[in-house]
Amino acid sequence: QVQLAESGGGLVQVGGSLRLACAASGRDFSKKAVAWFRQAPGKERTFVTAINWANTTVYADSVKGRFTISRDNTKNTAYLQMNSLKPEDTAVYYCAARGGTFAYKDASEYEAWGRGTQVTVSS
């Protein structure tokens, strides 16, 4: 089973940028789909973006054009580049992984999760 650890969160001003990293340990990272979800205080965890083994990506409408997911299989790491950040992007960001071809938007499809990293966007 792959284990995941997020890093790169922090406090940033509106319009700023952050890059999150999701480091994976375990086997066959290159064959897994990786996703980012986020959870704001008092709200449910929601899908942000995902990338499959073939580097096909999918994004939530709220982050299209601002966020970019990528992966470096040589480092067993996935990234989330976040630009033009808004106060509504404030949340704990989680990475998740699943085996198989598809990168789903449904959190229940993912079997491995990190502990999350806090992103706070101040206005």
Side-chain angles (χ1 to χ4, degrees):
Q1 173 109 0
V2 66
Q3 294 183 325
L4 305 174
E6 304 93 338
S7 62
L11 175 64
V12 64
Q13 291 187 334
V14 169
S17 298
L18 281 175
R19 188 175 81 153
L20 307 184
C22 173
S25 61
R27 298 173 58 183
D28 298 330
F29 175 76
S30 64
K31 298 179 182 178
K32 296 189 181 294
V34 179
W36 288 93
F37 291 80
R38 65 187 180 186
Q39 187 167 17
K43 296 187 177 180
E44 293 185 352
R45 192 171 299 188
T46 58
F47 173 80
V48 177
T49 180
I51 186 169
N52 73 356
W53 65 273
N55 287 331
T56 300
T57 58
V58 59
Y59 294 90
D61 288 344
S62 59
V63 305
K64 280 182 182 176
R66 300 190 298 123
F67 291 12
T68 303
I69 189 172
S70 62
R71 65 192 301 161
D72 184 343
N73 291 331
T74 66
K75 297 181 179 179
N76 275 11
T77 301
Y79 302 96
L80 180 63
Q81 178 67 44
M82 305 186 295
N83 299 327
S84 303
L85 283 161
K86 305 176 181 180
E88 52 263 43
D89 295 318
T90 295
V92 177
Y93 283 71
Y94 299 89
C95 67
R98 68 180 302 275
T101 303
F102 298 107
Y104 291 100
K105 297 182 178 182
D106 186 345
S108 67
E109 296 288 344
Y110 292 85
E111 63 251 17
W113 289 84
R115 293 185 176 183
T117 185
Q118 176 71 47
V119 171
T120 303
V121 184
S122 65
S123 57

